Amino acid sequence: MKSFAAQREIRPNTGEVAAGARLAHAVSHDHQEDGGVATAVAAFWEHFEHCADIGIRGVGPTRESAFEQIALALTGVVADPAVVRSQLSVAIECEAPDDELLVVDWLNALVYEMATRRVLFGAFTVVLEGSRLSAIAWGELVDPQRHD
């Protein structure tokens, strides 16, 4: 498995991403660069303790899946992504010279869209072409009754 660690953390009150976020994806071919056999990795997201706030991690069998999972982890900081309905969609594009910076730009773009539109996202489709990310985020307006 290849791992990308941006060492960034989400600061919900400021709408910024700082130290603590991690992105990982599995090698997509049968043998890793070191000659070992690659193993399949299920897509998942998680939170982890971090000294300043909360860390988020996205893991997937592809780069795209890992970016989708870290976005779900971001939503999971404030609500259960499974209860977020796909009532609206937002296109998001960003570009950075490497995956560590791209994940930071991706998370910052999501925080911006959630804050300015007052929405939560619960589903994502990410397409990566080199250093460019194009995505659709699906979600709904924040509903304090359902998004506790």
Side-chain angles (χ1 to χ4, degrees), residues 25-115:
H25 74 87
V27 176
S28 60
H29 52 283
D30 292 333
H31 296 281
Q32 297 176 346
E33 292 100 18
D34 64 4
V37 176
T39 57
V41 173
F44 68 91
W45 62 267
E46 64 186 358
H47 297 141
F48 59 91
E49 288 188 35
H50 194 274
C51 61
D53 212 339
I54 187 168
I56 61 173
R57 181 176 292 119
V59 176
T62 65
R63 287 175 64 220
E64 289 84 354
S65 178
F67 276 84
E68 292 165 358
Q69 292 300 311
I70 204 164
L72 288 170
L74 175 65
T75 298
V77 171
V78 295
D80 179 0
V83 304
V84 178
R85 299 177 185 147
S86 295
Q87 296 178 335
L88 57 87
S89 65
V90 176
I92 298 172
E93 306 233 348
C94 42
E95 190 168 2
D98 58 44
D99 282 341
E100 288 80 10
L101 294 174
L102 189 57
V103 72
V104 173
D105 287 350
W106 168 231
L107 294 174
N108 277 331
L110 290 169
V111 168
Y112 173 81
E113 295 295 342
M114 288 191 289

